[in-house]
Amino acid sequence: MSIQENYNHIKSQLPADVQLVAVSKTHPVSVIQEVYDLGQRVFGENKVQEMMEKYPQLPKDIQWHLIGHLQTNKVKYIAEFVETIQSVDSEKLLFEINKEAIKHNRKIKVLLQVKIAEEDTKFGLNIPDAESLFKKYVDGEFPSIEITGLMGMATFTDNKEQVRKEFLTLKTIFDELNKVKSLETLSMGMSDDFLIAISCGANSVRVGSAIFGRRDYSQ
Ligand SMILES: *Cc1c(COP(=O)(O)O)cnc(C)c1O
């Protein structure tokens, strides 16, 4: 299938209120432009360097989401233009993003990445740490940041019940925090599991290979 067919196929499966983050990592700007021309405006990258290179070559109304692990010393390279950092997994990182946001006189949106997978290869805050970080935010510790929601990745497995269980865990935490201060975004689900994620309450999905085709190397 062509990229256009892939894109339309994905869009046709998404309820109107579910945001699509098109994950363009490893793909060239020409292909991103093609998907932009189909109407897509939100793109996700997992590496700072790659996002920095692509940003100046593409239309300025693209909303760039960083979805991969972010080192504190690299926040400064994207602070001026990144729309949302989905992968906040430490207090140190939140502190740094807040500092850079102040420097650039803007607010940066972030999601707290919560570890829900059984595998221990994935980044993310454990649940108590996510809750205590959110509390500090609610108490006003990070004034130039807006925590707009949570992000999570399920275990890489064919076991749909396990994936569902992990997504439902994140949905429960989302609902709890949402009572304390209202949140917009629950980001979960990728090419292979976005429909499960939506059935568990996701309102934002990060889809790469199902739009752009397989990547040359796995990241
Ligand atoms: C690569 C990546 C995705 C997209 O994965 P696909 O399986 O290609 O859809 C989603 N989220 C994160 C954090 C990623 O790194």
Side-chain angles (χ1 to χ4, degrees), residues 21 23 25 45-46 67-68 86-87 113 151 153 189-192 205-211 213 215 219:
V21 178
V23 177
K25 62 190 187 194
E45 290 283 338
N46 70 336
I67 60 171
Q86 293 210 1
S87 42
Q113 182 176 355
M151 186 270 255
M153 287 167 91
M190 317 188 349
S191 291
D192 290 335
V205 295
R206 309 175 309 274
V207 179
S209 45
I211 298 172
R215 290 177 290 276
Q219 307 225 342

Side-chain angles (χ1 to χ4, degrees), residues 102-157:
I102 293 168
K103 260 192 214 162
H104 292 277
N105 195 24
R106 62 181 295 234
K107 274 210 167 185
I108 297 178
K109 294 182 185 180
V110 309
L111 306 183
L112 298 181
Q113 182 176 355
V114 182
K115 189 172 147 44
I116 50 171
E118 229 166 56
E119 318 168 297
D120 47 33
T121 51
K122 301 235 162 95
F123 292 107
L125 293 153
N126 63 37
I127 294 168
D129 287 348
E131 288 168 343
S132 74
L133 202 47
F134 188 69
K135 185 169 184 309
K136 289 184 183 180
Y137 160 73
V138 171
D139 290 344
E141 269 194 42
F142 307 101
S144 290
I145 277 176
E146 196 183 338
I147 296 183
T148 55
L150 303 179
M151 186 270 255
M153 287 167 91
T155 300
F156 185 70
T157 172

Side-chain angles (χ1 to χ4, degrees), residues 163-165 167-168 171 186 188 195-202:
V163 170
R164 176 178 299 278
K165 203 179 81 192
F167 284 153
L168 287 174
K171 168 70 164 130
L186 180 55
M188 38 185 209
L195 288 176
I196 303 177
I198 291 168
S199 76
C200 295

Side-chain angles (χ1 to χ4, degrees), residues 53-83:
E53 281 168 16
K54 288 172 174 177
Y55 164 70
Q57 305 181 55
L58 284 157
K60 288 295 162 295
D61 63 342
I62 286 183
Q63 295 163 35
W64 290 100
H65 284 217
L66 191 84
I67 60 171
H69 182 65
L70 176 60
Q71 289 170 281
T72 50
N73 62 356
K74 292 194 176 161
V75 176
K76 56 178 177 285
Y77 300 122
I78 55 170
E80 190 187 339
F81 69 88
V82 71
E83 206 261 345

Side-chain angles (χ1 to χ4, degrees), residues 11-48:
K11 288 292 278 186
S12 72
Q13 296 173 82
L14 299 182
D17 58 348
V18 173
Q19 177 190 53
L20 172 62
V21 178
V23 177
S24 48
K25 62 190 187 194
T26 78
H27 298 287
V29 288
S30 57
V31 175
I32 300 175
Q33 182 70 50
E34 193 181 332
V35 175
Y36 176 93
D37 291 339
L38 297 171
Q40 181 66 23
R41 291 295 177 271
V42 187
F43 290 88
E45 290 283 338
N46 70 336
K47 293 197 167 133
V48 167

